[in-house]
Amino acid sequence: MPESTYPRTALQRGGVPVPPLALGSWNTWDRMSKDEAVALIRRATELDAGFFDIAYYNMGPHAENSRTDILFGEALRASGVDRDGITLCGKLWLWDWPNQGFRQQLVESLGRAGLERFDTVVVGDYGKVPDMPRLVAEVNALISEGLVDSWGINNWQIAHTTQALDEAETQGVVAPVFAQLKYGIARRSMAEGEAYGALFDAGVLTLQASDVFEGGILAAGRQPERKVGADVGGIREQIAAIYPEVARVAAGFGVTPAALGIAFCLSNPATANVLFGASRLAQLEQNHAALELALAHGPEVRAALAGCWVDRDVRADGVW
């Protein structure tokens, strides 16, 4: 296992600490050659980024049927990386649930990637409120079967996250342990607001920051040409407008805007790790600078970016 360059945090109280950097699979592994993917996986395990979020994008707004998960599995096996030295996170979708049950989804996802199990799994967002007793029970059936150890939620409304926590206690089973939320320099209300903030402060949940670059806007200063995450609150133009300031602050710290964005997220004590996409080895190398920056200058980073908070008027409870 590589020597860690940044203090690791567990996704759950008493759990195994995970790498602070996590690599996503949406529009990533299908944008590089196999040799490039193998090199990226090997280097990720050396740079505190050996946490891989793997999903089969086949439902709802992600009904793309892409091969990114298959390609990752092929590259992982070719890399020779020790499975015990990395963390693998799967995804369960609610768009066609319970018609497509969680076990059916997970077994298919594992099979496509050529894996035996996930360390943890994220239950995705939804169009209508799910049957929470059934949802909690189905996730825990996967845990009991040994297909996954823990679970988290993705951009849920706080009322439903609280309901899941209460339902798990009622059933005497495993509750969600982390929240994968949109979070970054510009978008802070949900992750730092009092609703989720109270759960983070109490140690009930940890935070996995996602969509940190707003589809690349805050990494490269240009509007994305590919499909990106939802624009909660309709603030993307405002986010694009702050890029020059983000670039200026990043230059002052001697890092890229992307590394600055990751360091900002890590400066929040609630953050267990930061999920981002990388399709080139150079991106990973540059983003790794965020660890040293957050460790040495976290408070200064937050102070320098205080004026870049864009979503102040977007609801913190996840309702939109």
Side-chain angles (χ1 to χ4, degrees):
M1 184 174 181
E3 180 180 350
S4 178
T5 58
Y6 188 87
R8 295 190 175 193
T9 301
L11 289 175
Q12 63 192 98
R13 187 176 296 171
V16 177
V18 299
L21 303 180
L23 295 181
S25 59
W26 192 30
N27 296 311
T28 56
W29 304 106
D30 48 355
R31 297 171 63 200
M32 63 185 100
S33 70
K34 184 174 180 179
D35 287 345
E36 289 171 330
V38 168
L40 188 62
I41 290 171
R42 288 173 177 165
R43 191 62 175 139
T45 64
E46 299 171 348
L47 295 181
D48 282 332
F51 185 118
F52 302 97
D53 182 282
I54 308 303
Y56 177 23
Y57 297 99
N58 67 327
M59 292 187 195
H62 301 301
E64 303 156 9
N65 291 312
S66 73
R67 299 185 70 253
T68 183
D69 53 334
I70 295 174
L71 297 172
F72 168 79
E74 293 174 349
L76 178 64
R77 290 187 291 279
S79 73
V81 166
D82 183 4
R83 171 64 178 88
D84 292 335
I86 60 176
T87 302
L88 297 181
C89 178
K91 189 88 80 177
L92 297 173
W93 303 112
L94 289 170
W95 303 110
D96 193 33
W97 180 85
N99 181 48
Q100 292 192 49
F102 286 161
R103 189 181 189 283
Q104 175 187 350
Q105 291 185 41
L106 197 70
V107 168
E108 182 176 25
S109 186
L110 288 169
R112 284 172 57 86
L115 303 171
E116 294 183 355
R117 59 185 303 280
F118 287 118
D119 297 292
T120 192
V121 69
V122 177
V123 181
D125 52 359
Y126 43 83
K128 62 179 181 179
V129 182
D131 178 344
M132 201 60 69
R134 180 171 181 174
L135 184 153
V136 170
E138 279 201 28
V139 174
N140 274 271
L142 301 176
I143 294 175
S144 297
E145 194 174 343
L147 294 175
V148 66
D149 293 335
S150 63
W151 64 292
I153 58 89
N154 170 241
N155 295 316
W156 284 17
Q157 295 178 23
I158 189 64
H160 305 139
T161 299
T162 301
Q163 186 181 355
L165 292 166
D166 292 343
E167 183 60 38
E169 183 176 5
T170 297
Q171 294 185 25
V173 294
V174 177
V177 297
F178 70 99
Q180 185 186 97
L181 303 179
K182 289 178 179 291
Y183 181 47
I185 291 171
R187 198 181 292 276
R188 313 180 191 183
S189 291
M190 195 168 174
E192 295 187 4
E194 60 182 15
Y196 271 99
L199 296 178
F200 296 146
D201 290 344
V204 175
L205 297 175
T206 57
L207 168 65
Q208 183 182 64
S210 70
D211 206 7
V212 176
F213 310 140
E214 291 287 330
I217 293 173
L218 292 181
R222 58 177 180 267
Q223 292 290 337
E225 298 178 355
R226 56 182 173 81
K227 185 178 179 182
V228 297
D231 179 13
V232 179
I235 58 173
R236 198 143 282 164
E237 287 188 7
Q238 295 170 258
I239 292 175
I242 68 165
Y243 175 76
E245 175 63 8
V246 172
R248 185 193 68 80
V249 173
F253 283 109
V255 298
T256 64
L260 179 70
I262 295 170
F264 170 84
C265 294
L266 290 171
S267 70
N268 182 343
T271 304
N273 70 8
V274 181
L275 176 65
F276 59 89
S279 56
R280 292 183 294 107
L281 189 58
Q283 291 175 321
L284 176 61
E285 298 276 3
Q286 292 167 352
N287 289 354
H288 184 259
L291 300 183
E292 181 179 353
L293 178 60
L295 195 60
H297 301 289
E300 294 97 313
V301 167
R302 294 191 71 85
L305 295 168
C308 294
W309 180 4
V310 171
D311 75 334
R312 295 176 186 272
D313 296 327
V314 176
R315 293 179 59 156
D317 59 4
V319 177
W320 61 288

